[in-house]
Coordinates of all heavy atoms in Angstrom, one line a residue:
M235 N 36.9 35.5 13.3 CA 36.8 36.9 13.0 C 35.3 37.3 13.0 O 34.5 36.6 12.4 CB 37.4 37.2 11.6 CG 37.6 38.6 11.3 SD 39.0 39.4 12.2 CE 40.3 39.3 11.1
Y236 N 35.0 38.5 13.5 CA 33.6 39.0 13.6 C 33.6 40.4 13.1 O 34.5 41.2 13.3 CB 33.1 39.0 15.1 CG 33.0 37.6 15.6 CD1 34.1 36.9 16.2 CD2 31.9 36.8 15.5 CE1 34.1 35.6 16.6 CE2 31.8 35.5 16.0 CZ 32.9 34.9 16.5 OH 32.8 33.7 17.0
L237 N 32.5 40.7 12.5 CA 32.2 42.1 11.9 C 31.3 42.8 12.9 O 30.2 42.2 13.2 CB 31.6 42.0 10.5 CG 32.4 41.3 9.5 CD1 31.6 41.2 8.2 CD2 33.8 41.9 9.3
I238 N 31.6 44.0 13.2 CA 30.6 44.8 14.0 C 29.9 45.6 12.9 O 30.5 46.4 12.1 CB 31.4 45.8 15.0 CG1 32.0 44.9 16.0 CG2 30.4 46.7 15.6 CD1 32.8 45.6 17.1
I239 N 28.6 45.4 12.9 CA 27.7 46.1 11.9 C 26.6 46.8 12.5 O 26.4 46.7 13.8 CB 27.2 45.0 10.9 CG1 26.3 44.0 11.6 CG2 28.3 44.4 10.1 CD1 25.7 43.0 10.7
R240 N 25.8 47.4 11.7 CA 24.6 48.1 12.2 C 23.4 47.8 11.4 O 23.4 47.8 10.2 CB 24.9 49.6 12.2 CG 24.1 50.4 13.1 CD 24.7 51.8 13.4 NE 24.0 52.4 14.5 CZ 24.0 53.7 14.7 NH1 24.7 54.5 13.9 NH2 23.3 54.2 15.7
C241 N 22.3 47.5 12.1 CA 21.0 47.2 11.4 C 20.6 48.4 10.5 O 20.5 49.5 11.1 CB 20.0 46.9 12.4 SG 18.3 46.6 11.7
P242 N 20.3 48.2 9.3 CA 19.9 49.3 8.4 C 18.5 49.8 8.8 O 18.2 50.9 8.4 CB 20.0 48.7 7.0 CG 20.2 47.3 7.1 CD 20.5 47.0 8.5
S243 N 17.8 49.0 9.5 CA 16.4 49.4 9.8 C 16.3 50.3 11.1 O 15.9 51.4 11.1 CB 15.5 48.2 10.0 OG 14.2 48.6 10.3
C244 N 16.8 49.7 12.2 CA 16.7 50.4 13.5 C 18.0 51.0 14.0 O 18.1 51.7 15.0 CB 16.2 49.4 14.6 SG 17.3 48.1 15.1
R245 N 19.1 50.7 13.3 CA 20.4 51.3 13.6 C 21.1 50.7 14.8 O 22.0 51.4 15.4 CB 20.4 52.8 13.6 CG 19.7 53.5 12.4 CD 20.4 53.4 11.1 NE 21.7 54.1 11.2 CZ 22.7 53.9 10.5 NH1 22.7 53.0 9.5 NH2 23.8 54.6 10.6
T246 N 20.7 49.6 15.3 CA 21.3 48.9 16.4 C 22.6 48.3 16.0 O 22.7 47.6 15.0 CB 20.3 47.8 17.0 OG1 19.1 48.5 17.4 CG2 21.0 47.1 18.2
F247 N 23.6 48.5 16.8 CA 24.9 47.8 16.6 C 24.8 46.3 17.0 O 24.1 46.0 18.0 CB 26.0 48.4 17.4 CG 26.5 49.8 16.9 CD1 26.1 50.9 17.6 CD2 27.2 49.9 15.8 CE1 26.5 52.2 17.2 CE2 27.6 51.2 15.3 CZ 27.2 52.3 16.0
T248 N 25.5 45.5 16.2 CA 25.5 44.1 16.5 C 26.8 43.5 15.9 O 27.6 44.3 15.3 CB 24.3 43.3 16.1 OG1 24.3 42.0 16.6 CG2 24.2 43.3 14.5
Y249 N 27.0 42.2 16.0 CA 28.2 41.6 15.4 C 27.8 40.3 14.8 O 26.8 39.7 15.2 CB 29.3 41.5 16.4 CG 29.1 40.5 17.5 CD1 29.4 39.2 17.4 CD2 28.4 40.9 18.7 CE1 29.2 38.3 18.5 CE2 28.2 40.1 19.7 CZ 28.5 38.8 19.6 OH 28.3 37.9 20.6
V250 N 28.5 39.9 13.8 CA 28.3 38.6 13.1 C 29.6 38.0 12.8 O 30.6 38.6 12.6 CB 27.5 38.8 11.8 CG1 26.1 39.3 12.0 CG2 28.2 39.7 10.8
D251 N 29.6 36.7 12.6 CA 30.7 35.9 12.1 C 31.0 36.4 10.7 O 30.0 36.7 9.9 CB 30.4 34.4 12.1 CG 31.6 33.6 11.6 OD1 31.8 33.6 10.4 OD2 32.2 33.0 12.5
N252 N 32.2 36.6 10.3 CA 32.5 37.2 9.0 C 32.1 36.3 7.8 O 32.0 36.8 6.7 CB 34.0 37.6 8.8 CG 34.9 36.4 8.8 OD1 34.6 35.4 9.4 ND2 36.0 36.6 8.2
F253 N 31.7 35.1 8.1 CA 31.1 34.2 7.0 C 29.6 34.2 6.9 O 29.0 33.7 6.0 CB 31.6 32.8 7.2 CG 33.1 32.6 7.0 CD1 33.9 32.4 8.1 CD2 33.7 32.8 5.8 CE1 35.3 32.2 8.0 CE2 35.1 32.7 5.7 CZ 35.9 32.4 6.8
Q254 N 29.0 34.9 7.9 CA 27.5 34.9 7.9 C 27.0 35.8 6.8 O 27.5 36.9 6.6 CB 27.1 35.4 9.3 CG 25.6 35.3 9.6 CD 25.3 35.6 11.1 OE1 26.2 35.4 11.9 NE2 24.1 36.1 11.3
R255 N 26.0 35.4 6.1 CA 25.5 36.2 5.0 C 24.3 37.0 5.4 O 24.0 38.0 4.8 CB 25.1 35.2 3.8 CG 26.4 34.5 3.3 CD 26.1 33.7 2.1 NE 25.4 34.6 1.1 CZ 25.7 34.6 -0.1 NH1 26.6 33.9 -0.6 NH2 25.0 35.4 -0.9
W256 N 23.5 36.5 6.3 CA 22.2 37.2 6.7 C 22.2 37.4 8.2 O 22.8 36.6 8.9 CB 21.0 36.4 6.2 CG 20.8 36.4 4.8 CD1 21.4 35.5 3.9 CD2 20.1 37.4 4.0 NE1 21.0 35.8 2.6 CE2 20.3 37.0 2.6 CE3 19.4 38.5 4.3 CZ2 19.7 37.7 1.6 CZ3 18.8 39.2 3.2 CH2 19.0 38.8 1.9
K257 N 21.5 38.5 8.6 CA 21.4 38.7 10.1 C 19.9 39.1 10.3 O 19.3 39.9 9.6 CB 22.3 39.9 10.5 CG 22.2 40.3 11.9 CD 22.7 39.3 12.9 CE 22.7 39.8 14.3 NZ 23.1 38.8 15.2
L258 N 19.4 38.5 11.4 CA 18.1 38.9 11.9 C 18.3 39.8 13.1 O 18.9 39.4 14.1 CB 17.3 37.6 12.3 CG 15.9 37.9 12.8 CD1 15.0 38.5 11.8 CD2 15.3 36.6 13.3
C259 N 17.9 41.0 13.0 CA 18.1 42.0 14.1 C 17.4 41.5 15.3 O 16.1 41.3 15.3 CB 17.7 43.4 13.6 SG 17.9 44.6 14.9
P260 N 18.1 41.4 16.4 CA 17.4 41.0 17.7 C 16.5 42.1 18.3 O 15.7 41.8 19.1 CB 18.6 40.7 18.6 CG 19.7 41.5 18.1 CD 19.5 41.6 16.6
T261 N 16.7 43.3 17.8 CA 15.9 44.5 18.3 C 14.6 44.7 17.5 O 13.5 44.7 18.1 CB 16.7 45.8 18.3 OG1 17.9 45.5 19.0 CG2 16.0 46.9 18.9
C262 N 14.7 44.8 16.2 CA 13.5 45.1 15.4 C 13.0 43.9 14.6 O 11.9 44.0 14.0 CB 13.8 46.3 14.5 SG 14.9 46.0 13.1
G263 N 13.8 42.8 14.4 CA 13.3 41.7 13.7 C 13.6 41.8 12.2 O 13.2 40.9 11.4
H264 N 14.3 42.8 11.8 CA 14.6 43.0 10.3 C 15.6 42.0 9.9 O 16.7 41.9 10.5 CB 15.0 44.5 10.1 CG 15.4 44.8 8.7 ND1 14.5 44.9 7.7 CD2 16.6 45.1 8.1 CE1 15.1 45.2 6.6 NE2 16.4 45.3 6.8
A265 N 15.4 41.3 8.8 CA 16.4 40.4 8.2 C 17.1 41.2 7.1 O 16.5 41.8 6.2 CB 15.7 39.2 7.7
Y266 N 18.4 41.2 7.2 CA 19.2 41.9 6.1 C 20.4 41.2 5.8 O 21.0 40.4 6.5 CB 19.5 43.3 6.6 CG 20.2 43.4 7.9 CD1 21.6 43.5 8.0 CD2 19.6 43.4 9.1 CE1 22.3 43.6 9.2 CE2 20.2 43.5 10.4 CZ 21.6 43.6 10.4 OH 22.3 43.7 11.5
E267 N 20.9 41.5 4.6 CA 22.1 40.9 4.1 C 23.3 41.7 4.7 O 23.4 42.9 4.7 CB 22.2 41.1 2.5 CG 23.2 40.3 1.9 CD 23.1 40.3 0.3 OE1 22.1 40.9 -0.2 OE2 24.0 39.8 -0.3
V268 N 24.2 40.9 5.3 CA 25.3 41.4 6.0 C 26.2 42.3 5.1 O 26.7 43.4 5.6 CB 26.2 40.3 6.7 CG1 27.5 40.8 7.3 CG2 25.3 39.6 7.8
A269 N 26.4 41.9 3.9 CA 27.3 42.6 3.0 C 26.8 44.0 2.7 O 27.6 44.9 2.3 CB 27.5 41.9 1.7
K270 N 25.5 44.3 2.9 CA 24.9 45.6 2.6 C 24.8 46.5 3.9 O 24.4 47.6 3.7 CB 23.6 45.4 1.9 CG 23.7 44.8 0.5 CD 22.3 44.7 -0.1 CE 22.5 44.1 -1.5 NZ 21.2 43.9 -2.1
A271 N 25.1 45.9 5.0 CA 25.0 46.7 6.3 C 26.3 47.5 6.5 O 27.4 47.0 6.1 CB 24.8 45.7 7.4
P272 N 26.2 48.6 7.1 CA 27.4 49.4 7.4 C 28.3 48.6 8.4 O 27.9 48.1 9.4 CB 26.9 50.6 8.2 CG 25.5 50.7 7.9 CD 25.0 49.3 7.6
T273 N 29.6 48.4 8.0 CA 30.6 47.7 8.8 C 31.5 48.7 9.5 O 32.1 49.6 8.8 CB 31.4 46.7 8.0 OG1 30.5 45.8 7.3 CG2 32.4 45.9 8.8
Y274 N 31.7 48.6 10.8 CA 32.5 49.5 11.6 C 33.9 48.9 11.9 O 34.9 49.6 11.8 CB 31.8 49.9 12.8 CG 30.6 50.8 12.5 CD1 29.4 50.2 12.1 CD2 30.7 52.2 12.6 CE1 28.3 51.0 11.8 CE2 29.6 53.0 12.3 CZ 28.4 52.4 11.9 OH 27.3 53.2 11.5
L275 N 33.9 47.7 12.3 CA 35.2 47.0 12.7 C 35.1 45.6 12.4 O 34.0 45.0 12.3 CB 35.4 47.2 14.2 CG 36.0 48.4 14.8 CD1 36.0 48.3 16.3 CD2 37.4 48.7 14.3
D276 N 36.3 44.9 12.3 CA 36.4 43.5 12.3 C 37.3 43.1 13.5 O 38.3 43.7 13.6 CB 36.8 42.9 11.0 CG 38.1 43.5 10.4 OD1 38.4 44.6 10.8 OD2 38.8 42.8 9.6
V277 N 36.8 42.2 14.3 CA 37.5 41.9 15.5 C 37.7 40.4 15.6 O 37.0 39.6 14.9 CB 36.7 42.4 16.8 CG1 36.6 43.9 16.8 CG2 35.4 41.8 16.9
H278 N 38.6 39.9 16.4 CA 39.0 38.5 16.5 C 38.1 37.7 17.4 O 38.0 36.5 17.1 CB 40.4 38.4 17.0 CG 41.4 39.0 16.0 ND1 41.7 38.4 14.8 CD2 42.2 40.1 16.1 CE1 42.6 39.2 14.2 NE2 42.9 40.2 15.0
D279 N 37.4 38.2 18.3 CA 36.8 37.4 19.4 C 35.4 38.0 19.6 O 35.2 39.2 19.7 CB 37.7 37.6 20.6 CG 37.1 37.0 21.8 OD1 36.2 37.6 22.5 OD2 37.5 35.9 22.2
H280 N 34.4 37.1 19.8 CA 33.0 37.5 20.0 C 32.8 38.2 21.3 O 32.0 39.1 21.5 CB 32.0 36.4 19.8 CG 32.0 35.4 21.0 ND1 32.9 34.4 21.0 CD2 31.2 35.3 22.0 CE1 32.7 33.7 22.1 NE2 31.6 34.2 22.7
H281 N 33.6 37.9 22.4 CA 33.5 38.6 23.6 C 34.0 40.1 23.4 O 33.4 41.0 24.0 CB 34.4 37.9 24.7 CG 34.0 36.6 25.0 ND1 32.8 36.3 25.7 CD2 34.6 35.4 24.8 CE1 32.7 35.0 25.8 NE2 33.7 34.4 25.3
E282 N 35.0 40.2 22.7 CA 35.5 41.6 22.4 C 34.5 42.3 21.6 O 34.3 43.5 21.8 CB 36.8 41.4 21.6 CG 37.7 42.7 21.6 CD 39.1 42.4 21.1 OE1 39.3 41.4 20.3 OE2 39.9 43.2 21.4
A283 N 33.9 41.7 20.6 CA 32.8 42.3 19.8 C 31.7 42.8 20.7 O 31.2 43.9 20.5 CB 32.4 41.3 18.7
E284 N 31.2 42.0 21.6 CA 30.2 42.3 22.5 C 30.5 43.6 23.3 O 29.7 44.5 23.4 CB 29.8 41.2 23.5 CG 29.1 40.1 22.9 CD 28.8 39.0 23.9 OE1 28.7 39.3 25.1 OE2 28.7 37.8 23.5
H285 N 31.7 43.6 23.8 CA 32.2 44.8 24.6 C 32.2 46.0 23.7 O 31.8 47.1 24.2 CB 33.6 44.5 25.2 CG 34.2 45.6 25.9 ND1 33.8 46.0 27.1 CD2 35.2 46.4 25.5 CE1 34.5 47.1 27.5 NE2 35.4 47.4 26.5
I286 N 32.8 45.9 22.6 CA 32.9 47.1 21.7 C 31.5 47.6 21.3 O 31.3 48.8 21.3 CB 33.7 46.8 20.4 CG1 35.2 46.6 20.9 CG2 33.7 47.9 19.4 CD1 36.1 46.0 19.8
V287 N 30.6 46.7 21.0 CA 29.2 47.1 20.6 C 28.6 47.9 21.8 O 28.0 49.0 21.6 CB 28.4 45.9 20.3 CG1 26.9 46.2 20.3 CG2 28.7 45.3 18.9
R288 N 28.8 47.4 23.0 CA 28.2 48.1 24.2 C 28.8 49.5 24.3 O 28.2 50.5 24.6 CB 28.4 47.3 25.4 CG 27.5 46.2 25.6 CD 27.5 45.6 27.0 NE 28.8 45.2 27.5 CZ 29.4 44.0 27.3 NH1 28.7 43.1 26.7 NH2 30.6 43.7 27.8
Q289 N 30.2 49.6 24.1 CA 30.8 50.9 24.2 C 30.4 51.8 23.1 O 30.3 53.1 23.4 CB 32.4 50.7 24.2 CG 32.9 49.9 25.4 CD 32.6 50.6 26.7 OE1 32.8 51.8 26.8 NE2 32.1 49.9 27.6
M290 N 30.2 51.3 21.9 CA 29.8 52.2 20.8 C 28.4 52.8 21.1 O 28.2 54.0 20.9 CB 29.8 51.4 19.5 CG 31.2 51.1 19.0 SD 31.3 50.0 17.6 CE 30.8 51.0 16.3
E291 N 27.5 51.9 21.5 CA 26.1 52.4 21.8 C 26.2 53.4 23.0 O 25.5 54.4 22.9 CB 25.2 51.2 22.3 CG 24.9 50.2 21.1 CD 23.8 50.8 20.2 OE1 23.3 51.9 20.4 OE2 23.5 50.0 19.3
K292 N 27.0 53.1 24.0 CA 27.1 54.0 25.1 C 27.6 55.4 24.7 O 27.1 56.4 25.1 CB 28.1 53.4 26.2 CG 28.1 54.0 27.5 CD 29.1 53.2 28.4 CE 29.2 53.8 29.7 NZ 30.1 52.9 30.6
H293 N 28.6 55.4 23.8 CA 29.2 56.6 23.3 C 28.2 57.5 22.6 O 28.1 58.7 22.8 CB 30.4 56.3 22.4 CG 31.0 57.6 21.8 ND1 31.7 58.5 22.5 CD2 30.9 58.1 20.5 CE1 32.1 59.5 21.7 NE2 31.5 59.2 20.5
L294 N 27.5 56.8 21.7 CA 26.5 57.6 20.9 C 25.4 58.1 21.8 O 24.9 59.2 21.6 CB 25.9 56.7 19.8 CG 26.8 56.4 18.6 CD1 26.1 55.6 17.5 CD2 27.4 57.7 18.0
H295 N 25.0 57.3 22.8 CA 23.9 57.8 23.7 C 24.4 59.0 24.5 O 23.7 60.0 24.7 CB 23.5 56.7 24.6 CG 22.4 57.0 25.6 ND1 21.1 57.3 25.2 CD2 22.5 57.3 26.9 CE1 20.4 57.6 26.3 NE2 21.2 57.6 27.3
A296 N 25.7 58.9 25.0 CA 26.2 60.0 25.8 C 26.4 61.3 25.0 O 26.3 62.4 25.6 CB 27.6 59.5 26.4
T297 N 26.8 61.1 23.8 CA 27.0 62.3 22.9 C 25.8 62.8 22.2 O 25.8 63.8 21.5 CB 28.2 62.1 21.9 OG1 27.8 61.0 21.1 CG2 29.5 61.8 22.6
K298 N 24.7 62.0 22.4 CA 23.4 62.3 21.7 C 23.6 62.4 20.2 O 22.9 63.2 19.5 CB 22.8 63.6 22.2 CG 22.5 63.5 23.7 CD 21.8 64.7 24.2 CE 21.5 64.8 25.6 NZ 21.6 63.7 26.5
K299 N 24.4 61.5 19.6 CA 24.6 61.4 18.2 C 23.9 60.2 17.6 O 23.6 59.3 18.3 CB 26.1 61.3 17.9 CG 26.9 62.5 18.2 CD 28.4 62.2 18.0 CE 28.9 63.1 16.9 NZ 30.3 62.9 16.6
K300 N 23.6 60.3 16.4 CA 22.9 59.2 15.7 C 23.9 58.2 15.1 O 23.5 57.0 14.9 CB 21.9 59.7 14.6 CG 20.8 60.4 15.2 CD 19.8 60.8 14.2 CE 18.7 61.7 14.7 NZ 17.4 61.1 14.7
D301 N 25.0 58.6 14.7 CA 26.0 57.8 14.1 C 27.4 58.4 14.3 O 27.6 59.5 14.6 CB 25.7 57.6 12.6 CG 26.3 56.3 12.0 OD1 27.1 55.6 12.8 OD2 26.1 56.0 10.9
F302 N 28.4 57.6 14.0 CA 29.8 58.0 14.0 C 30.1 58.7 12.6 O 29.6 58.2 11.6 CB 30.8 56.8 14.1 CG 30.7 56.2 15.5 CD1 29.9 55.1 15.8 CD2 31.5 56.7 16.5 CE1 29.9 54.6 17.0 CE2 31.5 56.2 17.8 CZ 30.6 55.1 18.0
S303 N 30.8 59.8 12.7 CA 31.3 60.4 11.4 C 32.3 59.5 10.8 O 32.9 58.6 11.4 CB 31.8 61.8 11.7 OG 33.1 61.6 12.4
P304 N 32.6 59.7 9.5 CA 33.7 58.9 8.9 C 35.0 59.1 9.6 O 35.7 58.1 9.7 CB 33.7 59.5 7.4 CG 32.4 60.0 7.2 CD 31.9 60.6 8.5
E305 N 35.3 60.3 10.1 CA 36.5 60.5 10.8 C 36.5 59.7 12.1 O 37.5 59.1 12.5 CB 36.7 62.0 11.1 CG 36.9 62.9 9.9 CD 35.6 63.2 9.2 OE1 34.5 63.1 9.8 OE2 35.7 63.6 8.0
E306 N 35.4 59.7 12.8 CA 35.3 58.9 14.1 C 35.4 57.4 13.8 O 36.0 56.7 14.6 CB 33.9 59.2 14.8 CG 33.9 60.6 15.4 CD 32.5 61.0 15.9 OE1 31.5 60.6 15.2 OE2 32.4 61.6 17.0
T307 N 34.8 57.0 12.8 CA 35.0 55.5 12.4 C 36.4 55.2 12.1 O 36.9 54.2 12.6 CB 34.1 55.2 11.2 OG1 32.7 55.6 11.5 CG2 34.2 53.7 10.8
E308 N 37.1 56.0 11.4 CA 38.6 55.8 11.2 C 39.3 55.8 12.5 O 40.2 55.0 12.7 CB 39.1 56.8 10.2 CG 38.8 56.6 8.8 CD 39.2 55.2 8.3 OE1 40.4 54.8 8.6 OE2 38.4 54.5 7.7
E309 N 39.0 56.8 13.4 CA 39.7 56.8 14.7 C 39.4 55.6 15.5 O 40.3 55.0 16.1 CB 39.2 58.1 15.4 CG 39.9 58.3 16.7 CD 39.5 59.6 17.4 OE1 39.0 60.5 16.8 OE2 39.7 59.6 18.6
L310 N 38.2 55.1 15.4 CA 37.8 53.8 16.1 C 38.7 52.7 15.6 O 39.2 51.9 16.4 CB 36.3 53.6 15.9 CG 35.8 52.3 16.5 CD1 35.8 52.3 18.0 CD2 34.3 52.1 16.0
R311 N 38.8 52.6 14.3 CA 39.6 51.5 13.7 C 41.1 51.7 14.1 O 41.7 50.7 14.4 CB 39.4 51.5 12.2 CG 38.1 51.1 11.7 CD 37.9 51.2 10.2 NE 36.5 50.8 9.9 CZ 35.8 51.3 8.9 NH1 36.4 52.2 8.1 NH2 34.6 50.9 8.6
H312 N 41.5 52.9 14.1 CA 42.9 53.1 14.5 C 43.2 52.7 15.9 O 44.2 52.0 16.2 CB 43.3 54.6 14.3 CG 44.6 55.0 14.8 ND1 45.8 54.6 14.2 CD2 45.0 55.6 15.9 CE1 46.8 55.1 14.9 NE2 46.4 55.7 16.0
H313 N 42.3 53.1 16.8 CA 42.5 52.7 18.2 C 42.4 51.2 18.4 O 43.2 50.7 19.2 CB 41.4 53.4 19.1 CG 41.7 54.8 19.4 ND1 42.8 55.3 20.0 CD2 41.0 56.0 19.0 CE1 42.8 56.6 20.1 NE2 41.7 57.0 19.5
Y314 N 41.5 50.6 17.7 CA 41.4 49.1 17.8 C 42.7 48.4 17.3 O 43.2 47.5 17.9 CB 40.2 48.6 17.1 CG 40.1 47.1 17.2 CD1 39.8 46.5 18.5 CD2 40.3 46.2 16.2 CE1 39.7 45.1 18.6 CE2 40.2 44.8 16.3 CZ 39.9 44.3 17.6 OH 39.8 43.0 17.7
T315 N 43.2 48.9 16.2 CA 44.4 48.4 15.6 C 45.6 48.6 16.6 O 46.4 47.7 16.8 CB 44.8 49.0 14.3 OG1 43.6 48.8 13.4 CG2 46.0 48.4 13.6
T316 N 45.7 49.8 17.2 CA 46.7 50.0 18.2 C 46.6 49.1 19.4 O 47.6 48.6 19.9 CB 46.7 51.5 18.6 OG1 46.8 52.4 17.4 CG2 47.7 51.9 19.6
H317 N 45.4 48.9 19.8 CA 45.1 48.0 20.9 C 45.6 46.6 20.6 O 46.2 46.0 21.4 CB 43.6 48.0 21.3 CG 43.2 46.9 22.1 ND1 43.4 46.9 23.5 CD2 42.5 45.8 21.9 CE1 43.0 45.7 24.0 NE2 42.4 45.1 23.0
L318 N 45.3 46.1 19.4 CA 45.8 44.8 19.0 C 47.3 44.7 19.0 O 47.8 43.7 19.5 CB 45.2 44.4 17.6 CG 43.8 44.0 17.6 CD1 43.4 43.7 16.1 CD2 43.4 42.9 18.5
R319 N 47.9 45.7 18.5 CA 49.4 45.7 18.4 C 50.0 45.7 19.9 O 50.9 44.9 20.1 CB 49.9 46.9 17.7 CG 49.8 46.8 16.2 CD 50.5 47.9 15.5 NE 50.0 48.0 14.1 CZ 49.6 49.1 13.5 NH1 49.5 50.2 14.2 NH2 49.2 49.0 12.3
T320 N 49.4 46.5 20.7 CA 49.9 46.5 22.1 C 49.6 45.2 22.8 O 50.5 44.7 23.5 CB 49.2 47.7 22.9 OG1 49.3 48.9 22.2 CG2 49.7 47.8 24.3
K321 N 48.5 44.6 22.6 CA 48.1 43.4 23.2 C 49.1 42.3 22.7 O 49.6 41.5 23.5 CB 46.7 43.0 22.8 CG 46.1 41.8 23.5 CD 44.6 41.7 23.1 CE 44.1 40.4 23.5 NZ 42.7 40.3 23.1
K322 N 49.4 42.2 21.4 CA 50.3 41.3 20.8 C 51.7 41.5 21.4 O 52.4 40.5 21.7 CB 50.2 41.3 19.3 CG 51.1 40.3 18.6 CD 50.9 40.4 17.1 CE 51.7 39.3 16.4 NZ 51.7 39.5 15.0
H323 N 52.1 42.7 21.4 CA 53.5 43.0 21.9 C 53.6 42.6 23.4 O 54.6 42.1 23.8 CB 53.7 44.5 21.7 CG 55.1 45.0 22.2 ND1 56.2 44.7 21.5 CD2 55.4 45.7 23.3 CE1 57.3 45.2 22.2 NE2 56.8 45.8 23.3
N324 N 52.6 42.9 24.2 CA 52.7 42.6 25.6 C 52.7 41.1 25.9 O 53.2 40.6 26.8 CB 51.6 43.2 26.4 CG 51.8 44.7 26.5 OD1 52.9 45.2 26.4 ND2 50.7 45.5 26.8
S325 N 52.0 40.3 25.0 CA 51.9 38.9 25.2 C 53.2 38.2 24.8 O 53.5 37.1 25.3 CB 50.8 38.3 24.4 OG 51.0 38.4 23.0
V326 N 54.0 38.9 24.0 CA 55.3 38.3 23.6 C 56.3 38.5 24.7 O 57.2 37.6 24.9 CB 55.8 39.0 22.3 CG1 57.3 38.6 22.0 CG2 54.9 38.7 21.1
H327 N 56.2 39.5 25.5 CA 57.2 39.8 26.6 C 56.8 39.2 27.8 O 56.1 38.9 28.4 CB 57.4 41.3 26.8 CG 58.0 42.0 25.6 ND1 59.2 41.6 25.0 CD2 57.5 43.0 24.8 CE1 59.5 42.4 24.0 NE2 58.5 43.2 23.8

């Protein structure tokens, strides 16, 4: 399981293993406690986490926003959960 988080210093999205306690930001070099960083999603696979991080950055850049609103974050979580259910359902059939 991986958490998609955001650096509190430079606001870059990244991901960490859910057992990781500290993260060194690859962009600005800031070391921070994972538990205190904003968490957006928890995902099962690091490849999926990489893809989602890229898509989140791309979306904010395209919309010229600095962050997701609480409503957008909830929508993101809802879409990811729906995606997981669909993926699980399709793999059973």
